[in-house]
Amino acid sequence: IGELLYLKGTITDAFGIPIEGATIKIWQTNSAGQYQSLLDDDKYIDENFTMSGTARSDNLGRYGFKTIFPGFEDERAPHINMIITHPKFTKIETEIYFENHPLNIKDPYYMSYDEEDQKALTAKVVNITNDTKDGKIATFNIVMDGIHPYKGY
C-alpha cells in the first residue's frame, strides 16, 4: 500500500570508478510511517510489504530497489535507512532524504547537517510519468572512501 518508488544509483570510489559487488541494505517505514513490529498489535502493518531489502551493485556500480515512498513518523521527514558494505572499503551507514520534501526542514536530524551534507544525503526525485499515480524514481549516488587497489590512474 503506498506510492511506488524506484530507488536507484551508482556506487563509486573517490575517483569515480564503479564499485562492483557492494552490498546495499535498506529499511524504512511503511506508507503510514510505521516500522514493522510484530510486538505491537496496534501499529498499522502492511502484510504485503517487508519494509527492507538487500541488493548488490553490478559491474558498473549500479544498484536498485522497487519499494514504496516511506511515510513519516513524528517529527521525522520521510527517509530510507541504508548500510553499504564492501570488503575493500569502509562501511557507510546513512539515511536518504528526498529532494524538496516539505518535512525536511522540520526534521531535527536532517537540519543538524550542514548544507553540503544535506545535499549529499538527499536523493533527486522525479515522477515516472506525468501521472503521479505511476510512482517516482529517486536517484541516490554513493561515493565510498578510498580507491580500488587494482586500478591505477
Side-chain angles (χ1 to χ4, degrees):
I1 300 170
E3 183 178 22
L4 182 63
L5 178 69
Y6 290 96
L7 174 62
K8 67 180 188 86
T10 57
I11 301 175
T12 61
D13 71 5
F15 286 122
I17 306 301
I19 298 174
E20 179 180 4
T23 300
I24 305 98
K25 295 182 180 184
I26 64 168
W27 68 99
Q28 67 180 78
T29 62
N30 61 19
S31 61
Q34 301 294 324
Y35 284 102
Q36 181 87 15
S37 176
L38 300 175
L39 301 176
D40 295 331
D41 292 335
D42 61 335
K43 287 194 175 184
Y44 168 78
I45 294 177
D46 182 349
E47 294 177 359
N48 298 309
F49 183 57
T50 61
M51 300 184 200
S52 63
T54 302
R56 283 193 161 269
S57 59
D58 68 11
N59 64 320
L60 297 176
R62 299 175 299 197
Y63 72 92
F65 293 93
K66 179 180 178 183
T67 185
I68 61 164
F69 201 88
F72 56 90
E73 55 171 341
D74 301 324
E75 58 197 29
R76 299 297 316 275
H79 63 278
I80 296 177
N81 302 286
M82 179 181 270
I83 295 176
I84 307 99
T85 57
H86 189 279
K88 297 185 176 167
F89 294 88
T90 305
K91 177 168 95 171
I92 296 174
E93 296 183 47
T94 191
E95 292 180 338
I96 303 168
Y97 297 89
F98 301 97
E99 181 179 57
N100 299 323
H101 196 283
L103 292 179
N104 287 349
I105 61 170
K106 295 180 180 180
D107 188 300
Y109 293 98
Y110 185 79
M111 294 307 294
S112 70
Y113 297 107
D114 63 33
E115 191 174 326
E116 184 178 332
D117 287 341
Q118 286 177 355
K119 186 176 179 182
L121 294 172
T122 305
K124 304 256 183 242
V125 180
V126 296
N127 290 327
I128 293 174
T129 66
N130 289 336
D131 186 350
T132 57
K133 293 178 184 174
D134 290 335
K136 298 180 185 226
I137 298 172
T139 303
F140 187 74
N141 297 321
I142 300 155
V143 178
M144 299 191 84
D145 285 338
I147 58 172
H148 283 289
Y150 55 85
K151 304 257 182 178
Y153 294 93

